[in-house]
């Protein structure tokens, strides 16, 4: 109880954290530093990504196909970017520990679970999961609005309807717009929040407020960062998601370094 009270007393406020203005060169530098972290400990990053992320995507895709819900297969895979920051917490911690010259063993990587930071990280993770569920709900609602409640007969039939019918074109256009809104929301509330919760004593609400301030203060640069993330994830997903085992850890490490450049220490 005393330790919890001390943590609350030490919590930073949003107004106490300064936000820097960064440029496109900082994004490139963050990616280079993220690659350096990955190159220094690639096995750990690949393992975390494959086990905690790709396996989840595969199992959920198989479930959707088995339940004849092919219309949600793409939104499900695309929407995994919304919960990417949740999976990347361990990667942020690895970069933080390497930066400070601390041990980066398997056990030490998850030491934050036993710290006061775990509760706000868990709370924010729940928010991101709810955002993911909301995205799937809206994608299903959009499909029903255009195609009715009957599921696709087969994957090939569904693809044919997408590329040859007016309803399919509408689904693509409206889906992209809807996906952009969800992706931007996820970026705004999480890009700085998760690393900050590992780095400083703060509540989830404070971390989200600081993250939104950081994005608002660097709107164009953060928009470019969002595009970079989407392009790299799409590139990694081309080869049956295998490329994500490299792309995701690099992006996770790079996000930590981006946080360090945006938030004044």
């Amino acid at each position: 109880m005393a330790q919890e009270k001390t943590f609350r007393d030490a919590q930073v406020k949003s107004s106490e954290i300064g936000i820097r203005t960064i440029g496109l060169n900082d994004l490139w530098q963050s990616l280079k530093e993220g690659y350096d972290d990955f190159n220094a400990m690639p096995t750990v990053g690949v393992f975390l990504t494959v086990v905690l992320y790709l396996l989840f995507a595969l199992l959920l895709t198989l479930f959707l196909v088995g339940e004849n819900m092919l219309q949600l297969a793409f939104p499900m895979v695309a929407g995994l970017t919304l919960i990417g920051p949740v999976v990347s917490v361990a990667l942020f911690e690895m970069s933080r520990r390497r930066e400070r010259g601390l041990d980066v063993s398997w056990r030490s990587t998850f030491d934050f679970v036993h710290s006061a930071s775990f509760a706000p990280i868990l709370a924010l993770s729940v928010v991101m999961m709810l955002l993911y569920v909301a995205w799937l709900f809206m994608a299903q609602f959009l499909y029903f609005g255009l195609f009715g409640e009957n599921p696709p007969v087969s994957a090939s039939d569904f693809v044919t309807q997408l590329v040859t019918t007016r309803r399919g074109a509408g689904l693509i256009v409206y889906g992209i717009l809807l996906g952009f809104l969800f992706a931007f929301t996820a970026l705004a509330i999480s890009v700085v929040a998760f690393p900050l919760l590992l780095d400083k004593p703060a509540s989830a609400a404070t971390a989200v407020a600081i993250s939104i301030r950081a994005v608002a203060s660097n709107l164009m640069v953060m928009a470019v960062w969002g595009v970079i993330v989407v392009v790299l994830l799409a590139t990694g997903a081309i080869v049956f998601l295998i490329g994500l085992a490299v792309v995701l850890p690099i992006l996770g490490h790079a996000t930590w370094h981006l946080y360090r450049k945006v938030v004044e220490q």
Side-chain angles (χ1 to χ4, degrees):
M1 183 65 70
Q3 183 180 4
E4 182 179 343
K5 185 176 185 300
T6 301
F7 176 76
R8 288 200 304 267
D9 293 340
Q11 283 185 355
V12 298
K13 298 179 181 179
S14 177
S15 58
E16 297 173 347
I17 300 295
I19 301 297
R20 299 189 185 99
T21 299
I22 60 174
L24 296 178
N25 187 60
D26 292 301
L27 301 184
W28 173 246
Q29 187 63 32
S30 296
L31 286 171
K32 288 176 59 179
E33 292 169 346
Y35 176 78
D36 289 340
D37 284 351
F38 171 75
N39 199 41
M41 39 196 177
T43 304
V44 179
V46 170
F47 177 82
L48 290 173
T49 302
V50 172
V51 173
L52 300 180
Y53 202 81
L54 300 183
L55 184 59
F56 173 77
L58 176 62
L59 292 177
L60 193 52
T61 301
L62 292 176
F63 169 77
L64 291 175
V65 172
E67 293 296 317
N68 199 19
M69 298 175 66
L70 288 170
Q71 71 274 13
L72 285 184
F74 177 77
M76 183 277 300
V77 175
L80 286 175
T81 57
L82 302 179
I83 57 175
V86 177
V87 181
S88 299
V89 170
L91 298 170
F92 302 154
E93 176 66 2
M94 290 162 59
S95 290
R96 186 187 74 87
R97 298 184 69 86
R98 181 170 183 255
E99 181 183 88
R100 300 185 179 185
L102 302 175
D103 175 43
V104 194
S105 64
W106 290 98
R107 182 173 299 180
S108 64
T109 299
F110 292 94
D111 280 349
F112 70 89
V113 173
H114 306 290
S115 70
S117 298
F118 181 64
I121 288 175
L122 181 61
L124 186 53
S125 298
V126 171
V127 171
M128 300 303 292
M129 290 299 297
L130 291 175
L131 188 65
Y132 177 66
V133 172
W135 155 247
L136 291 181
F137 174 82
M138 291 302 296
Q140 182 80 316
F141 181 78
L142 178 60
Y143 174 83
F144 285 164
L146 292 170
F147 286 86
E149 297 186 7
N150 294 324
V153 176
S154 65
S156 60
D157 177 69
F158 183 49
V159 171
T160 300
Q161 291 192 58
L162 281 179
V163 299
T164 62
T165 67
R166 189 172 181 177
R167 292 182 303 172
L171 184 62
I172 292 173
V173 172
Y174 292 133
I176 290 175
L177 293 176
L178 190 62
F180 170 79
L181 292 177
F182 274 91
F184 183 79
T185 300
L187 176 72
I189 68 177
S190 69
V191 66
V192 163
F194 278 106
L196 184 139
L197 289 173
L198 285 172
D199 193 38
K200 301 178 184 297
S203 67
T206 297
V208 168
I210 295 171
S211 186
I212 293 174
R213 281 178 51 211
V215 172
S217 299
N218 299 276
L219 193 57
M220 293 305 299
V221 176
M222 286 297 188
V224 173
W225 176 249
V227 172
I228 290 174
V229 170
V230 170
V231 170
L232 289 180
L233 289 177
T235 303
I238 288 176
V239 191
F240 302 103
L241 302 180
I242 296 176
L244 294 180
V246 174
V247 171
L248 282 170
I250 293 176
L251 286 175
H253 294 308
T255 300
W256 167 263
H257 294 289
L258 180 63
Y259 154 76
R260 297 287 282 165
K261 290 173 174 55
V262 174
V263 175
E264 293 182 354
Q265 304 302 314

